[in-house]
Amino acid sequence: MAKTAQILCGIALWGTFVIFISYMYTFDALVVHGVTQSDGSIAYNEVEKSLWDVVSGLTIKELESIKYHGLNLRGLSCHYEDNTFQCVDSTLGTSCPSHVDPVFLSLADQQGPCQPAPESSTYCTVNCGEDGRVSWRAHSKSWCKEHSEETACASDVTCCPPEPQMLPYDRLIERRQVPEDIGDDETFERKQPVEHESEPEPQPTELGLNDFLQPFNGQNELPEQDLKKLIKYGFNTRGLTCQHLNGKVVCYRQDNQAREQCPDWVTPAFLSLANGQYACLPENNDHHYCTALCQQGSDEVKWNAHEKAWCKQHRDQCPPENYYVPINEYTTPEYEELKKGKIAGKCTGGAGWALGGDSVKFAPELTVGILANGETKSLKDALTTWAEGGLLEGVGEVRVYLNSRNPEIEKAVAPYTQSPYNVIVMGDSQNYGITNAINWLAGNASTPYFLFLEKDFQLIENRECLAEQLTEGINLLKKNKAQLIKFRSRRHPGFPNWVDNYYRGHEDDCLTSRQPNLFCNVYHWVETPHIRWPKHFWICDPQENADDNTPLFYCSDAEFCNWTNNPIMFEVEWWMREYINDRFKREMHGNDPFVHLEGYMNWEKGSWNHEGWTVAQGEGLFTHRDRNNFGS
């Protein structure tokens, strides 16, 4: 193994970039629109030229390579907006330099073992560091095939992440559908979430075919060619669910025991026609199927295209296919409220924050520390929920750390620096990463307890639940019942939720997997985990949970409950003593917390899993809504 590791290190250092271990998650698809001509060339129009914008200026040889081999994102996620691609390292939470785009990643110029070849003996992954450095890593296919992931990743240099796929250029599609009347952030008036309490009671209605053929997105009527297309192919809701309420169709994305509702212009006709989505057009259904993603409060729809032949061979990496239903057979069920599990205390399971109510400082011992690195839209929307939902006024102090601080994001935060919120802003133009930001936020806290929030976790509970959950979390820390409290919503966690994707329905497999510390996350959908797995879950404070009027928190050992950068609370003195002044100063063995905090906590010996910590989880308060990435 040592000799193999040396060979891999030699391969990894080929080229001009420094190599780090990388991890790959499912990537969002890209925009590639075009029509293949009889001579094999690709024709693009002005609207559908995003890939052409990137490949223009390449040599004929490079263009032929893209067409022949396809595209490979090397484990990154890439999005097309504002006439450019932006690639993101989801594992590290970092944005890549502007020159990193799908073509750069696919061609792998000057990266010998990473360059596309039909029978390549290696595959490659890429990381984008917080300092702007692009890091390539090559992996021997034969070596990785012979060694299990657990054995391979036990070494400093021989970790084998999943192999990214080379996909046909026209397989990768995503374009945002934005209503024409939406302006920029200066003119866009944010639509407030609709509270469940104010929704009208469902009334029995019957919808006819004409109701499903209604126009969308501001049109007066559907064009004749669209009507003919619907009559020919039928309806396809692209993985979303559509129901009818008071004579209108409501489409949404199911999230555990909650829903992410689509804009009202998203209808069965809109989803079926997929105008502007080349591979998703009904006439292209023989080769591709498409899914659509919505996010509550966003006026965008994101599309993902899936090549049928590829998905047939990789079923575990593709969502289920939705099929076209003839228009005379298509119906939608009547809208019905979701049935949630039994909820102890004052929480709703994620019905949404409520306007109004008294401004009560219910947690004066708590500092809220917020981290943002760009992504102004996500931060602005989250700040609205934190302010109007009572969080910012209800705690001792609020600090915001802005990595890569700039005038645009300062403008988003500025209204909250005044009374009654008095938010304290930290940071400068540099990006210091997550760990430094947490250390500086907690280290400057004037209270004994600290709640960490990233910029894209919105408050979705009422003020009574908010006060109840945070107060009980502080009590558990005071009693030393737990060292870390998680506050991502149990029933409405948002996307992505990786454990749900991988282990729902066969939860015990997680305990024997490479990462058993993910196991506590099954509580998101298993109602009484302490009964099914008494060794892995217990009620944190049985005396406090004597009846249904008190909040219920489950505790788990850190061996089965991972550290997360999701919303968490801990005691400041504990963090300073155990991590800032101890573990972060120790010699590392391949996992640097200042490069990738979650990777360090998951894999570095002596960091988290076997340190004897207890993690608590209640109903939670926040859902994940990243306005740049709707999750898979």
Side-chain angles (χ1 to χ4, degrees), residues 46 96 145 242 246 335 354 556 573 627:
E46 282 299 305
C96 299
K145 184 177 180 180
C242 296
N246 296 332
Y335 187 89
S556 300
E573 194 278 331
R627 294 310 192 201

Side-chain angles (χ1 to χ4, degrees), residues 195-210:
E195 299 176 41
H196 285 229
E197 291 79 8
S198 62
E199 290 178 351
E201 288 292 325
Q203 300 295 324
T205 57
E206 291 189 8
L207 298 186
L209 176 59
N210 288 337

Side-chain angles (χ1 to χ4, degrees), residues 30-34 42-58 62-63 65-67 70-73 78 80-81 83-85 101-104 106-107 167-175:
L30 304 175
V31 184
V32 181
H33 288 265
I42 305 171
Y44 294 86
N45 61 34
E46 282 299 305
V47 177
E48 303 171 340
K49 65 172 186 176
S50 55
L51 181 60
W52 181 254
D53 289 340
V54 178
V55 302
S56 58
L58 297 182
E62 290 170 333
L63 287 170
S65 176
I66 291 295
K67 183 178 178 182
L71 298 169
N72 189 328
L73 301 190
C78 297
Y80 183 76
E81 57 185 316
N83 296 317
T84 187
F85 278 100
D101 59 35
V103 173
F104 168 87
S106 303
L107 293 176
L167 302 175
Y169 61 86
D170 61 349
R171 147 87 165 82
L172 305 175
I173 298 178
E174 173 185 54
R175 179 171 292 279

Side-chain angles (χ1 to χ4, degrees), residues 444-455:
N444 282 280
S446 61
T447 67
Y449 303 101
F450 179 77
L451 172 68
F452 175 67
L453 292 174
E454 286 193 292
K455 79 290 173 185

